[in-house]
Every structure is written in structure tokens, then in C-alpha cells.
Amino acid sequence: MVTNAYRLFLNRLCQSCPLKTQCALFNKFAEDQERISLESTSLNHSDIQTIDNNLNVSSLQHCFLCIDILHRYTSDEFMQQIKQTAQTATSDFQSFCVNLSLPLNLLIRHAYLTKFLTNFVGECNEKDLPIIKDQWRNLMIDRLEEVLHRPYQIDSPFEINITFDFSGEKEELESLRRFRYADNPKLAKSNANEGFTRQAVTTILNDLTFEDFEQYYKPAINGKTTCTISALHDSVYVAGRYNKYSRTLSQTPWVIDGIRKAETSVEELIALPISKLVNAKDYVFLSSGREDVDVRTLGRGRPFVIEFRHPSRILYLPEEFVTAQHDINTLTKDVRVRDLQQVTKEESNQIKEGEEEKTKCYEALCYTETQIDQTELDQRLASVPNPIVIEQKTPIRVLHRRTVMTRQRSITELSATVIDPYHFRLLLTTQAGTYVKEFVHGDFGRTKPNLTMILDRFVDILELDVLAVNIDFPPSLKNETDENEKDILCDMNGK
Amino acid sequence: MSLAKRIKYPSVIERYYTKYYCKNVHNELNNDTLVLVHSNRICVLMLSERHPVIEKSLKIDSIESLASVNLSMSGKSKRGADYVQPNKLLYRIKCENNQNFTICASIKGRLVEVNDEIIKTPSLLQQKAQGEGYLAIFIPSLKDGENNLNSLMTEQDYNVSKQSS
């Protein structure tokens, strides 16, 4: 069946389509049109008639080569739509970039045009045809800069996505399928649900000749073009340090099968008040390590970063975070936040950097069933090497969600103060990733050496506090001079 | 804050585990094992406190290992580890007077650890039966975690049954 869709190149309304006017070969063809007799090609008259009739009947006439992208979608009206979408997504973006997505059948049409021109005018390659995306940008970018009052920057954190869909795309890709499996109808059946990727389409098009096009390609004349505009700004990052004064609060929300098991969490107590300031679709809470539910975090606190995704506002004054920090600290006595500030994405990576090397300081309240005095305590602790290297098999209490392995960790400071003959406070500084509870009681001897071995008696842990997380991030804010005093008070009285 | 002197605090086992017992493992009389079930469903296998090796302080000549963990085990879900049945042979404890005890898994689950220390130091079984003398560690599926309990005895029932024997 002869299609001669190329008729559509000639009979379209958009004689002024840049794809034609910017293409030297096509211009030459248009000039020669009068002289070349198209009737000399083996065309069936009635077929031409049918195509022509369909062209007239079709209500939504579109440019065959650019499906209106360079016409309707370069209008002032469309520009206003882009402006609207952009400003609704993020009100204060500082620059923008545009990403265009086109339907795959345009590849077919362009390949067809190159084959046609090669056949009737002269050698025509892909690079002889103007590129739709470039043409669109030429027509639109400067005007967009004016309308949005912001510069176009290719690496802008604010991306406007414009996706063009064509209702006849699938139908035209079917032509390719028919060509591909022409000799192999069985294979066609087994690959019935095959989806076409850009790569796949390009590969198949390389093998088609003009005659193949004529035989197999049937353009979707009545196809309609639609467009979806969306805009997305890079995330806003907010960092700080938190203290945890409760022994019944988990860091992340505790939800099982959709049912909430605990009232709230450290993450929510911190992120929810901030999310009233930073309006965004959702957030991700990251911290430099984590403590158990029954462990307090004292001292300067643990660094955290919250990534707010799809923010509707990206510029903030430092004072706004001071207020948010104050809100968090007055709303709850279980958590305290300091040094709350906006940071860049690069800066936020510091929170996970050097995870293995960082150290933490702990204080553990321990008891024993065999009396011990300060002298013996000092003696025994002094007898171990400094640093002491321990080997910990994955603790049984986390074994259900951690890999089975043995971890080597070092403890650089170890000292203790007796409270009474059966209780003492242990102070220790450990490498990140050390399970302190297991170091004290030994976890059935699976952590070695452990405190029961060092003190040569049964020891167990009653309470654990994190005194310091030794990371220099985020930077301390200047107005925190009276924070140190507050620290000591809070640590002692549990806020 | 002042603390009272000798308070009886709950031990690690009491804090995290529930005790279950399996009697006459491998059909050997009094060859009872203790299964510590952690709140996260992981099971630690030990000898029962009433096992003759402990109660009668039998002299242990040697312990033979009959099973090992699959070395291809990897990842959080312990892929590759053997999922064993309760009758999976783990150890043979050889005592004086030709008294031998064969220890089996006693439960269904992934075998993720066997305790090599007891091979080197058999006395651990007697001195640290509920500590360093543990036998093996298993991770049952969520379903088996529950079903295992049906074939084991609770601490209370076990103690009652041992009194009458």
C-alpha cells in the first residue's frame, strides 16, 4: 500500500514552519516543485485523493513536521502558561532551564523527510535538517527570560519540563513494527507488548529506505498534540544539631502496617515546625548516626540535615530559622535544636562524610554483682591498651536487619567513676559504629574484648547517654554564647 | 541521684528474651535444650539448665561440630544461609563413661551462627551455659517464628515437667 505521506510535507498550512524555511534542501525542493512532475511516480490516484480528503476533513490541522510545537507552542499564550506553572511551583527561583520532551514518532517523520529529500533533491542527512528543540529554544528562550524576569542558565537548579504528547504516536510506531517483523510474523506475535525506546526507534530507522517508508509508514493524520508543563526546583537543605532528653522517643516515626505505634519521633518534632516555614512537597531527614530509643543525646548534640523536596520557596533569612528553632524548642521538652541554618547541597554531604572515622563520646551507668572500688576500677582500666581494639559480631538485637559480620572498632578513652560498690559511671570515646551496650555486657561473648572481661566480673548497663558526636558540622551560629550554660542545665535536669 | 545498693536488675536475657525448652532432643533422655527467643524473633540455642552435662557436671572429653554456617551467606536477609529443620544435627558432646549427647537445632530457621568457642573450650558449656557457652543462632521466618513456639515448652511448663520426673 502506497502511503506517500510526503504529500503532507507539501500540503500543510504551515508553509512557514522553520523546519522547512531553515532547511536548504527543502527550499530547493519547493522551488523545483513546479518543474518536477510528481505524477511520474508510481502513485495510485485514489490513494492521493484519500489522503488529500483526510487532510481537509481533519479538524485539528497540525504541522506535519513539528506537530505544532513551533507554532501553537511558541505563542504568547503558551508562554503565560509556562510562567504560571513556574511561579506556582517555586515563587522565588533565581534562574531557570528548560527540558523538552518530544514524542517518538517525530523521529520517524524526520527520517522520512531525509529519505524523501535524498530521493528527489539531493543527498540529505540528519544534520541537514533543523532540530526542533533548537528551533523552539531560539524562538522562546529570550522571550521567556523577559516574561519571567530571570536568566536562562543551563545548569540552573530550577528546571521547567515541557512534555509534548501526540495521540498518534503509538499508531505510527506500529508502522515500524510492521516493517521490522515483515518477514517474521511469529516473532511479531511473541513481541506483541514490546515498548519502543528512542534507541530502538533510531536503530530501526537506519535500515529503512524511502521505498520501505512508502510501503509501511502510515502517518496519523488526525493526531492531536497535547502538552504538559511542570517545574521543579532543587531541594532546600536545612541543617542543625539536636539533643534528645527522652528515653522513650525514637528517632524516626514508628509505624507498622500503617498503624502508629508511638506518638511522635525526634524527626517529626524537628521537621514539622520547620516545614511550616519551608513549604515543600515532602522532606527527608538525615542524621550523623542514630541513637536507640532509650538513649539520650547530650552536649552539643547530633548533626542532622533535612532535605525539603519540591520547595515552593528557596530564599530565606537566617532570622527565620532562628524563629523556627525557637518554635521547636518551646513546643517540646524532649528535643532541643541548635545551629539551625540553611546549607547548600554540597555542604549537606558533610554529614555522611567520614562516617567510619568519626568518634563519639558516651557515658554509661553500669552495675555489677561483685563489689568494686575506685582503685580496682582504675587499675583494671589502665591495664588495657589505649586505644583498645574490639571485635564485634553483629549484635543479636539488630541481627534481624543487619548483615552477619564481625566489625573491628577502636575505643580511645576509657575511664570510670565509682558511685557505690555496685554501681559506677563509665566514660568512653569510641569509633563511629561501635555498639556500646554490647561492649559492656559482651552479648554472649560475641564482642571481645568486653567490659566483663576487663573487669573480670559480671557487668551490665543500666543507662546510656551520648555526650558528644565529634563532627564539625553544621557551623556553630554566633548567637549561641549562652548555649553552653543551657547545655549543662539541660543535661543535668533533662530540660 | 542515689542508687540503692544491691538491686536485682533484670539481666540481658530477662530484658530481651523469653525462654522456651525442647525436651529429649534426638530422642536422648534428658538431652534438653533451651531456646532463647529475642523480641525480634531471633533464637539463641543453649543447653537447658537441667541438662546432665550441667547439673551433674559431667567431664566433657570433646565436642564435635556437625554443622557449619553456609559461607555464601550474604546481605541483610542472610541469603544463602541454610534454612534448617528441628532435627538438624549440630554437635556431639562426648563425655566420660562413653556418655554422648547429640544436639539438634530444635527449631526451624536460618542457621546464621554456630559457636566455635565451645569446641576450643568445652568447659564453657558448664561455666557459661547462658552466656559464652551458647550453641547456635537462628533466624526463623515471621511465620515459623510463631510456629516454633507451638512445639516448644514454656519455662513454667518445663519446670513443672522436670519436677515430676
Side-chain angles (χ1 to χ4, degrees):
Chain A
M1 189 196 90
V2 176
T3 66
N4 49 78
Y6 65 78
R7 285 261 152 199
L8 295 167
F9 300 146
L10 317 172
N11 294 324
R12 290 288 78 219
L13 298 177
C14 50
Q15 297 301 327
S16 59
C17 183
L19 290 183
K20 292 181 189 167
T21 59
Q22 305 270 0
C23 176
L25 282 164
F26 197 96
N27 285 333
K28 183 162 188 304
F29 174 78
E31 283 163 18
D32 294 346
Q33 212 186 98
E34 304 303 302
R35 282 170 271 148
I36 293 173
S37 168
L38 287 170
E39 309 308 316
S40 67
T41 57
S42 52
L43 295 175
N44 189 322
H45 261 274
S46 62
D47 282 337
I48 299 173
Q49 212 53 38
T50 318
I51 292 174
D52 282 354
N53 281 339
N54 283 339
L55 297 177
N56 292 329
V57 163
S58 168
S59 54
L60 197 63
Q61 318 261 321
H62 65 262
C63 170
F64 185 70
L65 285 173
C66 72
I67 55 170
D68 271 359
I69 291 174
L70 299 179
H71 306 285
R72 179 160 34 117
Y73 294 102
T74 52
S75 64
D76 284 331
E77 196 191 317
F78 186 60
M79 190 118 65
Q80 288 302 317
Q81 280 186 318
I82 299 178
K83 178 179 176 180
Q84 172 89 331
T85 310
Q87 288 175 342
T88 314
T90 301
S91 55
D92 56 354
F93 59 91
Q94 300 298 292
S95 66
F96 69 96
C97 62
V98 180
N99 186 41
L100 296 170
S101 177
L102 308 178
L104 290 175
N105 66 304
L106 282 180
L107 291 173
I108 306 177
R109 295 189 179 191
H110 283 218
Y112 190 22
L113 181 59
T114 59
K115 298 285 189 298
F116 170 73
L117 288 174
T118 304
N119 226 303
F120 288 101
V121 185
E123 186 65 36
C124 178
N125 297 316
E126 275 294 322
K127 55 178 168 54
D128 294 316
L129 282 188
I131 304 172
I132 291 187
K133 286 188 186 181
D134 290 347
Q135 292 296 317
W136 190 91
R137 285 179 207 274
N138 285 341
L139 292 168
M140 290 294 272
I141 297 295
D142 288 340
R143 287 156 67 201
L144 268 177
E145 279 188 329
E146 225 180 277
V147 161
L148 297 175
H149 304 297
R150 288 286 181 273
Y152 174 83
Q153 270 166 17
I154 205 153
D155 56 354
S156 170
F158 186 59
E159 185 179 274
I160 301 175
N161 282 297
I162 303 179
T163 307
F164 293 100
D165 295 302
F166 185 65
S167 62
E169 180 186 16
K170 204 162 169 212
E171 193 186 317
E172 294 196 15
L173 290 176
E174 268 302 302
S175 320
L176 281 189
R177 273 180 53 85
R178 279 199 299 277
F179 164 73
R180 192 175 187 205
Y181 298 121
D183 303 325
N184 211 334
K186 258 195 200 166
L187 202 55
K189 269 205 184 134
S190 61
N191 285 355
N193 289 324
E194 161 184 48
F196 275 108
T197 62
R198 175 167 281 268
Q199 183 63 29
V201 172
T202 318
T203 314
I204 302 174
L205 287 174
N206 281 337
D207 297 333
L208 271 96
T209 64
F210 181 62
E211 286 70 33
D212 288 329
F213 270 110
E214 287 290 271
Q215 188 181 354
Y216 291 100
Y217 177 53
K218 195 163 187 263
I221 308 164
N222 294 321
K224 289 176 177 28
T225 310
T226 50
C227 171
T228 324
I229 314 170
S230 68
L232 175 59
H233 197 288
D234 277 1
S235 304
V236 165
Y237 295 86
V238 180
R241 297 181 85 112
Y242 74 82
N243 287 98
K244 174 176 179 276
Y245 299 113
S246 160
R247 293 200 189 276
T248 54
L249 187 65
S250 65
Q251 202 208 53
T252 49
W254 190 10
V255 182
I256 299 180
D257 292 335
I259 306 170
R260 202 173 246 292
K261 297 279 178 185
E263 214 180 286
T264 183
S265 58
V266 171
E267 179 185 304
E268 289 165 291
L269 289 172
I270 298 176
L272 291 177
I274 303 177
S275 64
K276 290 198 177 29
L277 169 66
V278 181
N279 210 319
K281 186 167 172 225
D282 58 30
Y283 66 80
V284 177
F285 185 90
L286 280 174
S287 64
S288 181
R290 209 169 37 181
E291 58 283 306
D292 289 340
V293 171
D294 57 352
V295 173
R296 296 187 306 172
T297 307
L298 310 176
R300 261 185 86 197
R302 184 182 298 276
F304 66 87
V305 168
I306 309 180
E307 179 191 353
F308 288 95
R309 307 197 289 199
H310 292 243
S312 54
R313 193 186 140 195
I314 53 147
L315 298 173
Y316 298 91
L317 297 166
E319 296 88 82
E320 294 179 275
F321 288 108
V322 171
T323 312
Q325 179 177 298
H326 181 78
D327 287 344
I328 298 171
N329 293 336
T330 40
L331 274 171
T332 174
K333 57 179 177 60
D334 290 337
V335 164
R336 184 160 81 105
V337 167
R338 55 148 39 101
D339 301 333
L340 195 66
Q341 58 196 274
Q342 188 174 6
V343 296
T344 65
K345 182 175 182 176
E346 290 67 41
E347 287 166 346
S348 77
N349 288 329
Q350 286 179 51
I351 208 159
K352 290 295 183 191
E353 254 169 44
E355 273 224 307
E356 295 277 302
E357 294 95 54
K358 300 300 178 187
T359 61
K360 327 253 159 126
C361 300
Y362 297 92
E363 182 176 299
L365 175 60
C366 304
Y367 80 93
T368 173
E369 282 176 353
T370 315
Q371 295 193 24
I372 192 165
D373 63 19
Q374 189 66 50
T375 317
E376 191 187 351
L377 205 49
D378 292 338
Q379 206 176 16
R380 290 201 183 267
L381 291 180
S383 72
V384 298
N386 185 359
I388 180 170
V389 177
I390 64 172
E391 293 206 342
Q392 302 193 283
K393 289 192 184 153
T394 311
I396 296 175
R397 68 184 165 91
V398 299
L399 192 53
H400 59 294
R401 53 186 166 85
R402 290 272 183 277
T403 310
V404 175
M405 62 189 281
T406 306
R407 295 167 183 80
Q408 244 188 22
R409 291 287 182 265
S410 61
I411 299 178
T412 46
E413 272 162 47
L414 193 59
S415 66
T417 315
V418 143
I419 300 174
D420 66 43
Y422 298 99
H423 300 86
F424 59 91
R425 277 198 204 282
L426 185 75
L427 275 169
L428 63 164
T429 302
T430 73
Q431 186 182 350
T434 307
Y435 290 91
V436 176
K437 293 176 183 173
E438 275 70 17
F439 169 68
V440 174
H441 63 63
D443 194 29
F444 300 146
R446 298 168 71 255
T447 290
K448 277 196 218 189
N450 58 63
L451 202 61
T452 61
M453 285 167 61
I454 297 172
L455 299 182
D456 196 23
R457 70 221 316 119
F458 166 82
V459 189
D460 200 356
I461 185 170
L462 288 173
E463 281 178 0
L464 183 61
D465 291 335
V466 178
L467 296 183
V469 176
N470 299 318
I471 297 187
D472 222 352
F473 174 84
S476 245
L477 296 180
K478 292 238 164 69
N479 61 351
E480 305 274 348
T481 43
D482 62 340
E483 287 300 314
N484 284 334
E485 285 179 23
K486 264 199 215 158
D487 270 353
I488 300 170
L489 283 172
C490 286
D491 292 356
M492 279 178 44
N493 303 325
K495 219 180 178 201
Chain B
M1 169 174 43
S2 65
L3 297 156
K5 296 243 164 24
R6 269 210 69 181
I7 304 175
K8 190 73 180 73
Y9 297 108
S11 64
V12 169
I13 292 182
E14 282 159 353
R15 286 208 300 272
Y16 295 115
Y17 301 90
T18 315
K19 289 184 177 177
Y20 287 88
Y21 293 84
C22 188
K23 282 177 76 167
N24 305 327
V25 168
H26 204 242
N27 284 325
E28 291 168 13
L29 193 59
N30 294 325
N31 188 23
D32 303 344
T33 54
L34 160 62
V35 178
L36 291 182
V37 182
H38 195 287
S39 50
N40 64 16
R41 88 178 185 276
I42 293 187
C43 299
V44 183
L45 186 72
M46 297 174 162
L47 284 184
S48 158
E49 305 93 324
R50 311 290 294 264
H51 196 283
V53 162
I54 299 172
E55 257 191 353
K56 299 196 182 132
S57 299
L58 297 177
K59 182 172 173 302
I60 305 174
D61 289 336
S62 70
I63 300 180
E64 190 190 341
S65 169
L66 303 172
S68 59
V69 173
N70 198 325
L71 286 172
S72 68
M73 169 177 71
S74 72
K76 279 191 275 194
S77 23
K78 290 78 185 172
R79 213 158 285 151
D82 296 326
Y83 204 91
V84 306
Q85 300 295 315
N87 57 9
K88 167 86 177 171
L89 300 178
L90 296 178
Y91 302 100
R92 185 154 290 124
I93 307 174
K94 300 179 185 160
C95 302
E96 60 186 336
N97 300 333
N98 256 327
Q99 266 190 296
N100 293 339
F101 298 97
T102 309
I103 304 295
C104 301
S106 316
I107 52 165
K108 273 191 191 182
R110 270 202 206 285
L111 178 63
V112 295
E113 194 174 313
V114 291
N115 189 4
D116 297 322
E117 295 300 314
I118 59 174
I119 314 289
K120 297 181 210 159
T121 318
S123 56
L124 280 175
L125 272 192
Q126 292 154 323
Q127 280 153 16
K128 303 265 173 84
Q130 297 201 358
E132 290 163 67
Y134 70 96
L135 299 170
I137 303 182
F138 304 87
I139 307 185
S141 66
L142 281 167
K143 208 174 89 170
D144 281 340
E146 309 241 338
N147 291 339
N148 279 333
L149 305 185
N150 295 332
S151 9
L152 298 171
M153 288 184 98
T154 64
E155 189 175 4
Q156 208 176 16
D157 292 345
Y158 178 70
N159 288 334
V160 165
S161 78
K162 284 314 248 194
Q163 265 164 17
S164 39
S165 64

